[in-house]
């Protein structure tokens, strides 16, 4: 396989490679990070694209980072650092191993520091034990930082690797990583490692990342994820209006990329995640109409199925449509929008083919009828809920009995018999739960 020609449908950390007419990578001057990672090249433009790719890696925009590193290769053929960049953009996948192999083959062209980077990543990808691999890579980055104390990128990636290796519950370890980030920011206050500080403190102590929320997006204005991440901190601090500002900024950047590259929404990494979080924050902030509109919009976007070799397809539970439907139900119920529910009751916003879809719809609509004083309609819907619940319980028992009998006939262990039964019954659980809760509510 030629690693410079990825297969159609290649997935790179959540993004589809085969996503429409592709242009060559272009310089996003002023829109990606202001960083410098010098490499051995006689081509100034190759250096610019390499810096851009590193900046995109800092923003977890691995798809575009690979394109930038490919452009380095086009301008300066067989440059080993371009292959290193493509390996970094592909994590620990088989494609990353192909790229690092190319980097090793041509590493004589790199300077000493570049060779240290290539050796570090090659060793990382060669080791199969995850803990050993992570520990060794951390030491390698520390060695580069020690030998080249002015290498801010080594420090930034060192901080990231500390985080990825797991900081656990130790406050001391969090402080160690934060101090590394602080060293970078002391020399380059607008370095994109503000992103790493936000991830670091997100679940531990969000207030510690406040100094980075107003700078993260500004360090890399053309990368949507860098605008999104401050929303994490602001949401945890219950500053929902400010969080929506960040998430709207992220959405606008994604919209610009969709227009430029003719990309479908759910082909963009974190597009659905950002907008579902935006919908939640609009709801928390009391911007109910905006939350409903946003949830509807997510449901209206094209659904991109994942198709298997046998032709079977499914749409991810993390798609825009799935998130939108979930949040629309939540906003309608939490804010008791009974009139809106009755307007939407027979539209695609609330209807669905599965028993779980029907159960959730019936719960909403029945509650709306009773709260509007339409008792007769409420009673009819309640009866429908009871009937569907009986059918689902019967179906669950039948499926479980059949699976159990089959497992026993195959002389499986008792634990495997229970697992077989549980697996057969699982598809009924969501509808039964929704109906049980819904009936309790309408009672």
């Amino acid at each position: 396989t030629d690693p410079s020609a990825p297969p159609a449908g290649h997935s790179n950390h959540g993004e589809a490679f085969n996503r429409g007419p592709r242009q060559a990578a272009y310089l996003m001057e002023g829109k990606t990070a202001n960083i410098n990672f010098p490499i051995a090249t006689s081509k100034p433009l190759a250096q610019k694209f390499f810096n851009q790719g590193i900046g995109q890696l800092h923003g977890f925009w691995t798809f575009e980072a690979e394109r930038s590193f490919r452009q380095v290769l086009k301008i300066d053929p067989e440059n080993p650092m371009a292959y290193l960049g493509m390996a970094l953009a592909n994590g620990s996948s088989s494609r990353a191993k192909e790229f690092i192999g190319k980097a090793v083959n041509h590493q004589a062209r790199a300077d000493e520091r570049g060779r240290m980077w290539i050796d570090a990543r090659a060793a990382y990808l060669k080791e199969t034990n995850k803990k050993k691999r992570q520990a060794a890579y951390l030491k390698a980055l520390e060695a580069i930082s020690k030998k080249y104390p002015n290498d801010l990128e080594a420090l930034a990636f060192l901080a990231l690797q500390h985080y990825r290796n797991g900081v656990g519950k130790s406050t001391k370890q969090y402080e160690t990583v934060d101090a590394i980030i602080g060293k970078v920011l002391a020399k380059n206050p607008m370095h994109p490692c503000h992103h790493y500080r936000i991830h670091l403190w997100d679940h531990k102590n969000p207030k510690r990342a406040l100094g980075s929320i107003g700078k993260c997006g500004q360090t890399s204005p053309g990368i949507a994820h860098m605008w999104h991440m401050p929303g994490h901190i602001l949401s945890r601090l219950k500053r929902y209006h400010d969080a929506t500002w960040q998430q709207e900024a992220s959405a606008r950047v994604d919209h610009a990329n969709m227009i430029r590259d003719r990309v479908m929404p759910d082909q963009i990494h974190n597009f659905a995640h950002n907008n579902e979080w935006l919908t939640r924050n609009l709801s928390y902030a009391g911007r109910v109409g905006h939350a409903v509109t946003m949830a509807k919009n997510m449901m209206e976007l094209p659904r991109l199925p994942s198709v298997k070799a046998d032709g079977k397809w499914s749409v991810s539970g993390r798609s825009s449509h799935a998130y939108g439907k979930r949040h629309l139900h939540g906003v309608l119920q939490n804010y008791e929008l009974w009139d809106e529910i009755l307007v939407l009751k027979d539209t695609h916003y609330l209807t669905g083919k599965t028993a779980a879809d029907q159960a959730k719809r019936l719960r909403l609509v029945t509650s709306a009828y009773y709260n509007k004083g339409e008792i007769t309609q409420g009673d009819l819907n309640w009866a429908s809920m009871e009937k569907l619940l009986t059918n689902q319980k019967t179906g669950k028992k039948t499926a479980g009995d059949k699976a159990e009998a089959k497992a026993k006939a195959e002389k499986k262990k008792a634990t495997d018999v229970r697992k077989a039964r549980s697996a057969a019954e699982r598809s009924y659980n969501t509808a039964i739960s929704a109906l049980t809760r819904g009936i309790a509510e309408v009672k």
Side-chain angles (χ1 to χ4, degrees):
T1 303
D2 176 6
S4 66
H10 156 63
S11 178
N12 187 349
H13 298 292
E15 294 184 80
F17 196 98
N18 187 20
R19 65 178 198 181
R22 306 305 300 147
Q23 304 101 7
Y26 60 96
L27 277 178
M28 300 176 66
E29 292 184 296
K31 293 186 178 181
T32 55
N34 178 25
I35 60 164
N36 188 34
F37 189 139
I39 61 173
T41 181
S42 60
K43 310 283 186 177
L45 190 57
Q47 179 66 66
K48 284 187 176 184
F49 271 108
F50 188 83
N51 286 344
Q52 176 171 289
I54 294 297
Q56 289 163 336
L57 287 181
H58 284 314
F60 294 174
W61 203 12
T62 53
F63 182 91
E64 289 297 331
E66 182 175 324
R67 289 182 68 201
S68 292
F69 295 129
R70 286 174 178 278
Q71 200 69 12
V72 175
L73 208 58
K74 184 176 181 180
I75 298 164
D76 189 0
E78 308 302 347
N79 187 301
M81 298 303 282
Y83 287 119
L84 169 70
M86 288 190 278
L88 290 170
N90 281 273
S92 56
S93 69
S94 59
R95 294 183 73 244
K97 293 174 183 176
E98 292 182 54
F99 289 137
I100 203 64
K102 292 266 189 177
V104 170
N105 289 342
H106 298 283
Q107 68 175 331
R109 282 192 52 192
D111 57 20
E112 183 185 29
R113 187 174 64 105
R115 290 194 293 274
M116 288 181 74
W117 274 92
I118 291 169
D119 289 342
R121 200 63 187 179
Y124 172 86
L125 290 168
K126 187 176 180 180
E127 177 59 64
T128 55
N129 182 285
K130 184 178 179 181
K131 286 189 176 180
K132 288 182 180 179
R133 181 171 71 215
Q134 289 178 325
Y137 190 54
L138 195 70
K139 284 187 178 180
L141 290 173
E142 286 174 341
I144 296 171
S145 298
K146 187 175 181 179
K147 187 159 188 174
Y148 298 94
N150 293 322
D151 187 345
L152 297 187
E153 300 318 300
L155 278 175
F157 281 113
L158 175 62
L160 176 62
Q161 195 59 38
H162 268 293
Y163 171 76
R164 284 180 168 165
N165 286 7
V167 284
K169 296 181 180 180
S170 169
T171 300
K172 184 178 179 181
Q173 200 163 354
Y174 278 83
E175 296 290 355
T176 298
V177 181
D178 192 78
I180 296 171
I181 295 170
K183 288 180 181 178
V184 178
L185 295 177
K187 294 184 177 180
N188 181 358
M190 292 301 285
H191 192 282
C193 67
H194 284 290
H195 178 201
Y196 302 150
R197 176 170 276 166
I198 289 172
H199 274 286
L200 176 68
W201 294 109
D202 188 8
H203 294 280
K204 181 72 172 177
N205 184 359
K207 288 184 179 179
R208 289 294 303 274
L210 278 173
S212 290
I213 61 173
K215 296 177 181 176
C216 186
Q218 288 83 344
T219 66
S220 309
I223 301 178
H225 184 66
M226 298 291 272
W227 293 101
H228 165 81
M229 281 310 300
H232 280 236
I233 300 301
L234 292 163
S235 295
R236 299 203 190 285
L237 297 176
K238 298 180 172 57
R239 290 172 55 179
Y240 301 122
H241 287 292
D242 291 332
T244 60
W245 187 93
Q246 293 289 157
Q247 286 144 357
E248 287 173 353
S250 176
R252 288 190 181 101
V253 173
D254 270 338
H255 293 163
N257 292 333
M258 284 188 280
I259 292 167
R260 185 192 68 236
D261 282 352
R262 305 178 196 178
V263 187
M264 301 292 274
D266 281 9
Q267 286 180 299
I268 291 182
H269 175 56
N270 266 351
F271 177 87
H273 168 66
N274 178 76
N275 289 328
E276 69 93 7
W277 204 314
L278 169 58
T279 306
R280 269 188 284 155
N281 280 329
L282 287 169
S283 175
Y284 295 154
R287 293 171 62 182
V288 185
H290 289 156
V292 169
T293 299
M294 192 70 204
K296 284 182 177 179
N297 174 257
M298 292 185 76
M299 289 186 67
E300 292 158 0
L301 296 175
R303 279 175 271 182
L304 304 178
S306 174
V307 184
K308 294 183 179 179
D310 61 5
K312 292 182 180 178
W313 61 273
S314 61
V315 177
S316 170
R318 293 187 172 187
S319 68
S320 290
H321 184 273
Y323 278 132
K325 192 162 194 174
R326 190 181 314 160
H327 289 315
L328 180 60
H329 275 257
V331 175
L332 291 173
Q333 183 164 331
N334 293 341
Y335 283 96
E336 301 183 350
L337 304 179
W338 313 128
D339 290 322
E340 184 85 5
I341 290 168
L342 295 180
V343 168
L344 298 176
K345 67 182 177 65
D346 296 319
T347 69
H348 72 94
Y349 295 110
L350 296 187
T351 57
K353 293 181 179 180
T354 68
D357 287 333
Q358 294 168 32
K360 292 171 184 177
R361 173 187 172 277
L362 280 168
R363 178 180 180 178
L364 272 180
V365 175
T366 309
S367 293
Y369 277 132
Y370 281 130
N371 278 284
K372 291 292 292 178
E374 298 184 31
I375 308 303
T376 302
Q377 286 294 334
D379 289 345
L380 288 171
N381 273 262
W382 183 355
S384 296
M385 293 173 79
E386 296 281 8
K387 182 179 179 181
L388 184 56
L389 179 59
T390 299
N391 289 342
Q392 288 297 294
K393 285 182 174 179
T394 301
K396 178 178 178 177
K397 185 177 185 306
T398 301
D401 289 346
K402 184 177 179 181
E404 183 177 325
K406 183 175 182 291
K408 286 180 176 178
E410 294 171 354
K411 302 188 182 305
K412 291 188 176 180
K413 296 178 183 178
T415 53
D416 291 331
V417 171
R418 288 195 294 272
K419 285 180 182 178
R421 182 178 191 101
S422 177
E425 293 176 340
R426 192 171 297 126
S427 63
Y428 295 88
N429 290 339
T430 302
I432 289 173
S433 176
L435 289 163
T436 302
R437 292 167 182 266
I439 290 169
E441 182 179 357
V442 299
K443 281 182 179 179

